[in-house]
Amino acid sequence: MKAAAEKTILYGNEKQKAYNFMYELNKPYPDQIAMMYFGARITYGKLFGTIERYAEALYESGVREGDVVTIVLPNVPEIVYLFYALNRIGAVASLIDPRTNAEAILERANEADSRLVFVIWDILQQKIDSISKKLRAEQIIVVKPSDSLGLGEIHSVEGLGVSLVYALKGFHDFKKYRFEIFLSIRNSF
């Protein structure tokens, strides 16, 4: 799967990453709507800015070209940000449908040698809790869907304008989990 990071999209005679392809086609339209999420309008300008900040946060957390990051999320804007941010830095996004059973999530994440796994805790708590001890990823990152809706409290980390998403370390009982800060971008609407 890591070889997929080296694959490129052919456009004309050029080879380029998916991020570059999308960016080049849409950079002249920063005020146009790129996507909508429950009424939130995300412009191309905001999309590209968010992708850049995600890429910086992922890189700062140790993700490098060729690394695999597993994303187990439903259709939320964060999946778009993560996919293109990973592509931007040359890492591979391994996407898993959150309806997949726990053992299949474990098998795919471990087989891909995933460095990080992104999940939405509300819908995946039981599955992740049942496989966490066997999961070889360095961290499991919890994404809050309220961030894309602009409902969460805004936190600023070192002036970067990012919100806090917590990486779970211990997996026994939800109340006993230790949370560590993972920089992620909060989409401002």
Side-chain angles (χ1 to χ4, degrees):
M1 186 176 273
K2 287 188 179 188
E6 297 174 16
K7 295 199 182 239
T8 56
I9 294 176
L10 289 175
Y11 181 66
N13 291 327
E14 294 181 39
K15 290 183 176 182
Q16 58 182 310
K17 295 178 181 177
Y19 171 82
N20 296 347
F21 181 77
M22 181 184 63
Y23 179 78
E24 290 302 319
L25 286 177
N26 296 292
K27 72 179 177 182
Y29 313 106
D31 297 325
Q32 294 291 319
I33 303 299
M35 61 182 169
M36 292 180 61
Y37 181 69
F38 288 98
R41 297 171 186 264
I42 302 163
T43 65
Y44 282 106
K46 194 170 289 260
L47 174 67
F48 294 134
T50 302
I51 290 168
E52 287 297 320
R53 292 190 304 269
Y54 262 71
E56 289 171 13
L58 287 163
Y59 193 84
E60 287 175 12
S61 69
V63 176
R64 298 293 184 265
E65 184 172 347
D67 285 345
V68 177
V69 173
T70 295
I71 303 169
V72 191
L73 299 176
N75 291 331
V76 294
E78 286 77 14
I79 200 167
V80 175
Y81 306 144
L82 284 166
F83 175 82
Y84 283 108
L86 290 165
N87 182 261
R88 176 105 170 91
I89 61 177
V92 179
S94 174
L95 304 174
I96 301 176
D97 186 319
R99 296 172 293 188
T100 303
N101 69 53
E103 286 302 315
I105 292 171
L106 173 67
E107 182 180 329
R108 285 190 56 198
N110 283 347
E111 184 179 300
D113 196 25
S114 293
R115 185 176 187 107
L116 304 173
V117 176
F118 283 83
V119 301
I120 288 184
W121 192 247
D122 302 21
I123 61 176
L124 292 169
Q125 177 181 355
Q126 288 182 313
K127 291 179 185 181
I128 298 303
D129 201 30
S130 72
I131 64 171
S132 63
K133 291 179 182 167
K134 298 176 193 171
L135 194 61
R136 293 192 304 254
E138 293 173 16
Q139 290 185 325
I140 296 173
I141 312 297
V142 175
V143 176
K144 300 182 301 181
S146 60
D147 284 352
S148 289
L149 293 171
L151 300 176
E153 182 180 338
I154 298 173
H155 299 277
S156 181
V157 178
E158 298 177 20
L160 295 176
V162 298
S163 70
L164 307 180
V165 176
Y166 301 98
L168 301 174
K169 279 292 195 176
F171 290 91
H172 304 294
D173 178 323
F174 185 74
K175 293 176 184 171
K176 295 179 184 175
Y177 287 151
R178 288 187 353 214
F179 292 95
E180 290 187 9
I181 297 171
F182 175 82
L183 294 181
S184 181
I185 309 315
R186 184 193 184 291
N187 198 17
S188 302
F189 296 105

